[in-house]
Amino acid sequence: MKKSLMAIGSLFLLGGTATAQKVVFQEYTLDNGLHVILHQDKSAPVVITSVMYHVGSKDENPTRTGFAHFFEHLLFEGTKNIARGEWMKVVSSNGGVNNANTSDDRTYYYEVFPSNSLELGLWMESERLMHPVINQIGVDTQNEVVKEEKRLRVDNQPYGNILAEVKKNMFVKHPYRWATIGSMEHLDAATLKEFQDFNAKYYIPNNAVLVVAGDFEATQAKNWVQQYFGPIKRGADIQRETFTEEPITQTLKATYQDPNIQIPMMIAAYRTPSMKTRDAKVLDMISTYLSDGKSSKLYKKIVDDKKMALQIGAVGFSQADYGMYILYGLPLGANTTEGLLKEADDEIVKIQSELISEKDFQKLQNKFENQFVNSNANIEGVAENLATYYLLYGDVNLINTEADIYRSITREEIREIAKKYLNPNQRLILDYVPSKDKAQN
């Protein structure tokens, strides 16, 4: 489930549930293929302009990984009408903030402005789409920025390579097999024309959705959308390749030595279905049941009661084509990663063989109800959710109805889905250990 801030989210602790308000929106498509979603919320004098592009690391050439994330940075360099280095200054001088993020499946840019700056936000995003300046100076500058980000967040971060190593060993054919940040060697080897071609292929109106959310007048917003985005030419239709992975039928094993750690980590990862499937939502509930918070089954048993671990958890990575469900734990003292895995497996077997209690099930339902409300509790969350449900799920109204799917999940389904996906012969065991010179004494 998605994150946000809302005090009402704490109600589930008292056994109550929050009530979601329906998100009202309009949607339409420009002649050039740009999909537009408008959501009015006049509770605060702010407005968000955001564009989500259907391009992520899975759309990259295997010999040029990291392009999508690189463009997250590169498209702040400047445009024909916004001088290099001026983008952030324009935003901040008008009382706004902006940011961007990239996943395997999409890239998202947004600005939050006072409501009287809606036209400015729309113009800036249209500039990014119509008139980006992609030159060698910008490429060289952002190359250094991305390298520093990789050093900070991955190379020098304890346990920073877990996700990359899981993906590398979990996927054989699918582009999910490489990290979103990509390879610095690939970026170094790329020519300026390759960057320009990537932009021309993917950063086009018919591969994007524009969301305007907040305090604005719909008629004026539509006029400005047409004025600034309407003249942009439609790009060539994108032909996407489908990658199908063979089922995992034998336990996969791999080892990774991390020079930044002293304590090994237990990691067991399962490949799961697309986030668009009902099964994926059931697995979300299983993950929450096992590991969400200190009252979860794994934490209470392994950390609190048996004191075998410093940390234990399970996390699901939801993606458009496949997902991942990853169990992890840090052993305490003389305990081992093998011991932690056995304890976690015992809890999974219980879910596979017994129905979870009615009390635990109700707590789980309440938690998901409140998480759903919380995900739409601020205008930034609503804007990103609207874009995501359109671009990746193909159904904007899931912003109002996805909670119904979670509500309809039964205890019997939880048991059956655990039996279907969470078996020892269907997973990767990653031996994530310290480098030999860093091993714990």
Side-chain angles (χ1 to χ4, degrees), residues 15-28:
T17 58
T19 302
Q21 289 189 332
K22 184 177 180 180
V23 176
V24 179
F25 58 89
Q26 301 178 53
E27 58 177 327
Y28 61 99

Side-chain angles (χ1 to χ4, degrees), residues 58-190:
K58 74 176 182 184
D59 298 294
E60 296 161 351
N61 182 323
T63 66
R64 289 293 183 267
T65 62
F67 265 46
H69 172 259
F70 192 86
F71 267 79
E72 174 197 320
H73 294 263
L74 187 61
L75 292 185
F76 282 103
E77 272 289 305
T79 75
K80 177 181 176 182
N81 297 301
I82 302 175
R84 182 171 180 266
E86 293 296 310
W87 185 285
M88 306 293 188
K89 294 178 184 178
V90 173
V91 172
S92 60
S93 65
N94 284 276
V97 295
N98 62 232
N99 213 330
N101 54 69
T102 310
S103 76
D104 289 1
D105 299 308
R106 92 297 179 273
T107 307
Y108 184 62
Y109 301 87
Y110 67 93
E111 294 79 34
V112 184
F113 278 118
S115 54
N116 60 3
S117 293
L118 171 59
E119 184 178 12
L120 174 63
L122 290 171
W123 173 73
M124 293 185 76
E125 284 301 334
S126 71
E127 274 291 298
R128 194 199 309 269
L129 181 54
M130 187 190 299
H131 297 132
V133 174
I134 300 173
N135 56 27
Q136 197 62 52
I137 294 174
V139 167
D140 292 343
T141 300
Q142 295 307 321
N143 197 316
E144 291 306 312
V145 171
V146 171
K147 285 179 180 177
E148 181 57 29
E149 180 181 344
K150 186 172 185 291
R151 284 190 288 265
L152 181 65
R153 296 187 178 182
V154 180
D155 298 340
N156 298 324
Q157 178 72 29
Y159 307 101
N161 273 293
I162 290 172
L163 188 56
E165 289 299 310
V166 168
K167 292 174 71 174
K168 182 174 74 175
N169 290 285
M170 181 72 69
F171 297 99
V172 177
K173 301 175 184 177
H174 200 286
Y176 286 163
R177 66 185 182 272
W178 56 77
T180 306
I181 202 165
S183 163
M184 299 306 100
E185 290 77 13
H186 291 174
L187 294 176
D188 286 343

Side-chain angles (χ1 to χ4, degrees), residues 188-293:
D188 286 343
T191 65
L192 179 60
K193 185 176 185 305
E194 286 178 296
F195 288 109
Q196 292 170 338
D197 288 347
F198 192 83
N199 180 79
K201 180 176 182 179
Y202 291 108
Y203 294 84
I204 53 178
N206 45 309
N207 193 45
V209 55
L210 165 68
V211 177
V212 180
D215 182 12
F216 64 90
E217 296 302 328
T219 300
Q220 180 65 81
K222 289 179 180 178
N223 289 338
W224 281 331
V225 167
Q226 181 61 42
Q227 177 182 343
Y228 293 114
F229 289 89
I232 302 174
K233 292 183 179 179
R234 181 185 181 94
D237 290 341
I238 297 170
Q239 302 299 318
R240 301 182 191 274
E241 189 174 353
T242 299
F243 299 91
T244 303
E245 291 284 346
E246 296 298 324
I248 298 172
T249 57
Q250 288 183 292
T251 304
L252 305 174
K253 294 187 177 181
T255 299
Y256 180 76
Q257 293 188 12
D258 189 334
N260 302 306
I261 66 172
Q262 294 184 339
I263 301 173
M265 179 172 275
M266 178 274 288
I267 298 174
Y270 305 78
R271 190 194 303 142
T272 55
S274 163
M275 64 187 185
K276 293 177 277 190
T277 64
R278 184 180 178 89
D279 285 3
K281 291 175 173 56
V282 181
L283 286 163
D284 284 345
M285 298 190 83
I286 292 172
S287 174
T288 298
Y289 174 78
L290 285 175
S291 68
D292 188 22

Side-chain angles (χ1 to χ4, degrees), residues 23-27 37-40 386 396-400:
V23 176
V24 179
F25 58 89
Q26 301 178 53
E27 58 177 327
I37 303 174
L38 306 179
H39 166 68
Q40 287 181 296
L386 286 167
V396 186
N397 201 46
L398 277 171
I399 197 168
N400 294 311

